[in-house]
Amino acid sequence: MTKYKKNGKKLGVLGGMGPAAAAEFLRQLAAKCPAATDQEHPVVYMIGDCEIPDRSTAIFGKGESPAPVLEARLRQLCDMGQRYWRCPAIRPIILLMILKLLCRSR
């Protein structure tokens, strides 16, 4: 039996706001992760929700705010036990930086 070292890291990825960005992020993560075996990679929980309201229209006050859905998805990732999170899309980053604090306060 092959021995391997689990790294114990759990990563939450919030995608779907440009699905190709999340796919590319996961591809790069797998390619750059220093792991000798599959089991040494971090555990990744990903939510790809393409129904999150459009961030651009919300920023300009012409559409529904994505904040409630972003918060709900981030809470789901927190509940799954993720310790670190990434959002490969650009616009939600500021909202998610604020929401990240919610995971720390739980």
Side-chain angles (χ1 to χ4, degrees):
M1 179 152 99
T2 304
K3 292 188 176 190
Y4 58 87
K5 180 182 173 189
K6 293 183 180 181
N7 71 17
K9 294 181 180 176
K10 294 181 181 180
L11 173 67
V13 178
L14 182 54
M17 298 158 284
E24 177 61 16
F25 172 78
L26 292 174
R27 186 195 69 75
Q28 287 184 27
L29 177 68
K32 294 178 181 181
C33 185
T37 66
D38 291 344
Q39 294 78 15
E40 292 176 6
H41 285 271
V43 173
V44 177
Y45 300 114
M46 182 184 157
I47 296 176
D49 187 348
C50 295
E51 295 182 351
I52 294 173
D54 184 70
R55 281 75 49 211
S56 297
T57 56
I59 289 169
F60 293 108
K62 297 182 179 182
E64 179 183 355
S65 171
V69 179
L70 291 171
E71 179 180 358
R73 298 301 167 261
L74 184 59
R75 285 187 185 278
Q76 282 180 300
L77 290 170
C78 289
D79 291 344
M80 289 181 206
Q82 62 89 21
R83 173 87 169 111
Y84 307 94
W85 65 269
R86 292 293 175 262
C87 181
I90 300 286
R91 289 181 201 104
I93 295 296
I94 294 171
L95 288 170
L96 289 174
M97 286 170 56
I98 295 166
L99 295 173
K100 182 180 179 183
L101 297 174
L102 295 173
C103 284
R104 289 185 182 162
S105 66
R106 295 181 110 199

